[in-house]
Amino acid sequence: MAMQPVQVIAVTSGKGGVGKTNVSINLACQLARLGRRVLLMDADLGLANVDILLGLRSGNNLSHVLVGESQLKDILIPGPFGITIIPAASGVRQMAEMTPAQHAQLVRSFAALQDEYDVLIVDTAAGISDSVITFSRASQYVLVVVTEEPTSLADAYGLIKVLNRDAGITRFKVLCNMSGGELQARKVFERLCDVAERFLDVNLVWVGAIPRDEFLLKAVALQRAVSDLYPAADASQAFRRLAEDVCRWPMPSASRGHIEFFAERLLAVGSEAGQSW
């Protein structure tokens, strides 16, 4: 059987407090409901919280992989709907201070997971740290989460500017979270688009809005994914529509020639395509 590429999505934001990790978790859950084999990486290396938001207990985590005490496959923990989670460390200063070379080493370690997943969601830290730049560049898609707050828009623009300048990323997906309505969310996107496309060599693509939903807040308090606990909630339905959209995003056909998650599978796909051609 031919080796298939993994769809890799970095979920990121210019500032904290926009619900980025909730987006990562619920997108993972809804993709799994659609039959995708999903791996969710907590890439906020020093202040991890995916396992906390889901009420899960992890033993070893990425900090143990970094020092050679564990292999990546040994720290995986199961999550709702059959998703698999890679937990990171919380309050470990060495993880927050990893070098770009160490980030690259971590990306390469995914080769050991072989042909087990269809999608990798990388829940990055907020802001413009080295890890955000490395992990975004190593992904095929960058999903920027914003809210309707002016500070969120300003910080999202700053993030896009840095990723464009330092990582060469030119295409971004944009999701408005905790939205007061589709029309309002669209206006937020248009404001961001006007500024970013005027001053930067980028293309922003609207992927929708997640409504402000009291059921999501209840789910957070109970340490569960809203998609799991309240599947009929407005937020859950919006995450499902997002997941359906993600399933239509084109898969990569070859490696781009730099450090990427699951790069060996991209190389294999490119080689097979070349042979068939």
Side-chain angles (χ1 to χ4, degrees), residues 94-129:
Q94 293 89 334
M95 291 297 289
E97 296 177 348
M98 285 172 61
T99 66
Q102 288 173 314
H103 295 144
Q105 175 189 344
L106 192 55
V107 170
R108 292 190 189 98
S109 70
F110 278 72
L113 295 180
Q114 301 179 4
D115 189 20
E116 299 175 14
Y117 301 100
D118 303 311
V119 184
L120 167 62
I121 295 176
V122 183
D123 181 42
T124 77
I128 54 174
S129 66

Side-chain angles (χ1 to χ4, degrees), residues 56-67:
L56 301 174
R57 288 193 174 186
S58 59
N60 288 0
N61 54 52
L62 282 173
S63 67
H64 300 93
V65 175
L66 182 66
V67 298

Side-chain angles (χ1 to χ4, degrees), residues 12 22 32 60 75 78 81 85 92 101 118 123-124 169 173 182 208 212 271:
T12 190
N22 252 313
N60 288 0
I75 68 169
F81 298 104
I85 295 162
V92 178
D118 303 311
D123 181 42
T124 77
I169 298 170
K173 308 283 189 179
E182 183 80 14
R212 191 178 294 111
S271 176

Side-chain angles (χ1 to χ4, degrees), residues 36 87 95 154 200:
R36 308 295 295 276
M95 291 297 289
L200 306 174

Side-chain angles (χ1 to χ4, degrees), residues 38 41 49 54-55 61 82 89 108 115 123 134 147 166 173 177 185 208 212 216 226 231 235 244-245 250 257:
V38 184
M41 174 189 178
N49 56 16
L54 289 174
N61 54 52
R108 292 190 189 98
D115 189 20
D123 181 42
T134 300
T147 68
D166 296 351
K173 308 283 189 179
N177 195 28
R212 191 178 294 111
L216 191 148
V226 68
E244 290 170 345
D245 185 34

